[in-house]
Amino acid sequence: MASPPTSLVFKVHRNEPELISPAKPVPRELKLLSDIDDQEGLRFHIPVIQLYRYNPSMKGKDPAKVVKEALAKALVFYYPFAGRLREGPGRKLTVDCNGEGILFVEGDADVSIEEFGEALHPPFPCLEELIFDVPGSSAVLNSPLILVQVTRLRCGGFILALRLNHTMADAPGLVQFMSAVGEMARGATVPSLQPVWHRHVLFARDPPHVTRTHREYDEVPDTKGTIIPLDEMAHRSFFFGPTEISAIRRFVPPHLRNCSTFEILTACLWRLRTIALRPDPEEEMRIICIINARGKSNSPIPKGYYGNAFAFPVAVASAKELRDNPLGFALEKVREVKAGVDGEYMKSVADLMVVKGRPHFTVVRSYLVSDVTRAGFGEMDLGWGMPAYGGPAKGGVGAIPGVASFYIPLKNNKGEEGILVPLCLPAPAMERFEKQLGGMLKDQNTSSSSLIISAL
């Protein structure tokens, strides 16, 4: 598969940033976040990017103007996004719904969407140009909760890049908001799905009562410096289509053949990444799976809820166990943690947050995966049709870059639907990872060049 031109360099000529407030008066009030929302591991801004091709039916329409007006209309219904976060006793976060607004930047780049290459996916060149970090805007407290930049391109297409304060919403919640923006841009006056605040459904109980084991919040000392260093990092994106997934399935024992693609891919990446990093054999290695609690048994999450409604359950095994056992060992561990998330699990996490002071999930020797293949980023129509790419702007986001990967839906240039996984590893470990993965996939008509589809 063709790699994007990593040498692509361009500048965005931006207007002065402005604040967009709700188009009509909204309630002035204080709203508490849930005890899932305000944990330490979500106190950061997450970048998302949408690329839209030129659409002749929108000739003469300025995407920046259309998006700006649609945002103002959507904020009437999602007015907490126009507020500011304050921190109270016990580090409890509250939204001051003061209508100050979200940050908006418009700009122009002398580049066409075609210059980004055939396959549009992270990592994107000049990302800092496409989502400008407005000075003073990236604090978690007392700052705009969303920043949107619309960059018009020479070809008539445009790029919408967005940065969200993660304590306010998860991927389904952000997609719900942006879908409302899309509906407003296309002429609707109210969103088809009404937003529901209801953060109380994930408040800790009184008194708090931790009923489940939450090893994702273990306090693990980093005695051997195993948090990945940020310098000398290699970034690659790997494509897993039907051919690659069926090749990995060959290594799965018969009783686990009905496993989901997510489970198989996660187990494979955890095992190979561990082997590539070469930790001490007795070191505990962790895989954290982001699991959405919407629709799980006894889940309290109502339809239209746009807060964070997921857990970080973790599987733990020694480096030696992962290296020496076949894939089925890691797979059973992944299946077990995934199955454990239900409504009670979420309540137990909320209780733990209050008891332990809102800790960060453990990043020492951890690898976190988040599946956004069904989140709906690729279906956000702002009037120009579906985006050519929609989803996370990069892998390895959050407090500790290199720890996280997203599973992003992608159609490759052969027209195959698959999953793109951006990965971040020290350069020598990345070489070992590619070799191991290539070995697993050989004899399946899969060349490593079609698997690795970008490198920056």
Side-chain angles (χ1 to χ4, degrees):
M1 183 179 275
S3 293
T6 51
S7 57
L8 180 62
V9 176
F10 57 88
K11 279 260 179 265
V12 174
H13 299 282
R14 286 179 295 270
N15 293 4
E16 281 297 305
E18 55 185 304
L19 286 168
I20 300 179
S21 297
K24 294 178 185 168
V26 294
R28 175 74 204 257
E29 59 190 349
L30 295 174
K31 283 184 171 293
L32 289 171
L33 290 187
S34 81
D35 289 307
I36 300 291
D37 291 323
D38 62 8
Q39 58 184 298
E40 187 62 40
L42 296 180
R43 294 182 182 214
F44 70 97
H45 295 262
I46 190 156
V48 167
I49 193 165
Q50 310 282 122
L51 287 81
Y52 293 91
R53 297 188 191 278
Y54 171 67
N55 183 336
S57 72
M58 299 299 278
K59 191 172 168 59
K61 295 266 178 82
D62 175 8
K65 184 172 186 287
V66 170
V67 170
K68 198 190 318 187
E69 288 174 2
L71 283 165
K73 289 173 185 170
L75 285 171
V76 173
F77 302 92
Y78 288 87
Y79 63 88
F81 279 137
R84 299 292 180 267
L85 279 186
R86 317 289 187 215
E87 191 175 59
R91 303 183 68 223
K92 185 75 208 153
L93 292 183
T94 304
V95 188
D96 178 2
C97 300
N98 57 13
E100 272 188 50
I102 65 173
L103 259 181
F104 184 81
V105 178
E106 67 176 278
D108 295 275
D110 188 20
V111 67
S112 71
I113 210 163
E114 285 69 34
E115 289 173 73
F116 283 83
E118 285 175 46
L120 296 164
H121 50 70
F124 288 98
C126 301
L127 186 61
E128 65 290 342
E129 287 286 316
L130 296 168
I131 185 156
F132 177 58
D133 182 13
V134 176
S137 70
S138 53
V140 172
L141 300 176
N142 312 312
S143 286
L145 298 169
I146 295 178
L147 179 154
V148 174
Q149 180 173 327
V150 173
T151 305
R152 292 173 289 255
L153 305 176
R154 188 175 63 218
C155 55
F158 67 97
I159 294 175
L160 184 153
L162 180 150
R163 196 184 67 192
L164 166 76
N165 185 316
H166 204 335
T167 63
M168 289 294 291
D170 56 12
L174 174 59
V175 167
Q176 186 181 311
F177 169 65
M178 287 307 293
S179 298
V181 173
E183 288 175 336
M184 301 294 166
R186 302 194 312 274
T189 52
V190 293
S192 56
L193 177 58
Q194 286 294 316
V196 172
W197 182 260
H198 281 14
R199 305 289 166 118
H200 63 272
V201 299
L202 291 174
F203 281 1
R205 294 171 280 212
D206 188 15
H209 179 45
V210 180
T211 54
R212 300 285 177 90
T213 303
H214 298 287
R215 295 210 56 195
E216 60 268 35
Y217 299 103
D218 285 354
E219 288 177 39
V220 180
D222 185 26
T223 48
K224 306 200 174 170
T226 45
I227 292 179
I228 296 176
L230 301 188
D231 47 350
E232 308 297 316
M233 290 295 268
H235 296 251
R236 299 269 191 284
S237 287
F238 297 87
F239 178 77
F240 296 89
T243 308
E244 290 78 17
I245 296 298
S246 67
I248 296 168
R249 277 189 190 274
R250 290 179 305 156
F251 295 90
V252 172
H255 70 286
L256 294 173
R257 285 279 156 80
N258 64 344
C259 285
S260 68
T261 297
F262 171 85
E263 291 163 347
I264 284 175
L265 188 51
T266 301
C268 175
L269 293 174
W270 183 30
R271 181 171 182 269
L272 296 190
R273 187 178 175 278
T274 298
I275 293 167
L277 283 168
R278 293 184 173 168
D280 287 353
E282 301 314 315
E283 291 267 34
E284 268 190 350
M285 306 303 288
R286 296 162 165 265
I287 181 79
I288 299 170
C289 302
I290 289 197
I291 304 296
N292 185 355
R294 293 171 178 84
K296 299 282 189 211
S297 65
N298 65 33
S299 170
I301 318 296
K303 192 171 170 58
Y305 186 85
Y306 62 100
N308 290 285
F310 66 87
F312 292 102
V314 67
V316 181
S318 75
K320 185 176 189 299
E321 287 174 319
L322 288 166
R323 184 192 68 202
D324 296 349
N325 280 296
L327 184 62
F329 171 81
L331 185 51
E332 287 191 319
K333 293 262 183 195
V334 168
R335 291 193 89 189
E336 201 178 308
V337 297
K338 193 179 152 203
V341 174
D342 57 10
E344 178 58 34
Y345 192 98
M346 300 302 289
K347 283 287 190 186
S348 182
V349 172
D351 293 348
L352 179 139
M353 287 299 136
V354 170
V355 170
K356 291 202 166 180
R358 312 189 190 287
H360 198 292
F361 59 85
T362 304
V363 294
V364 178
R365 295 181 293 282
S366 294
Y367 177 46
L368 182 151
V369 294
S370 177
D371 181 1
V372 296
T373 54
R374 293 188 189 90
F377 286 110
E379 288 144 38
M380 280 188 223
D381 182 359
L382 297 163
W384 278 260
M386 299 305 175
Y389 171 86
K394 58 182 179 179
V397 298
I400 319 289
V403 166
S405 283
F406 292 104
Y407 294 176
I408 301 167
L410 186 83
K411 188 182 281 189
N412 70 6
N413 59 4
K414 294 180 195 160
E416 294 175 322
E417 302 276 353
I419 296 171
L420 185 80
V421 183
L423 195 68
C424 230
L425 282 171
M430 184 64 84
E431 280 182 37
R432 293 191 288 267
F433 177 87
E434 287 175 18
K435 194 173 173 187
Q436 289 276 341
L437 185 56
M440 279 188 85
L441 301 179
K442 70 175 185 289
D443 308 326
Q444 285 286 305
N445 307 320
T446 304
S447 71
S448 60
S449 61
S450 71
L451 180 77
I452 303 159
I453 59 174
S454 76
L456 270 188

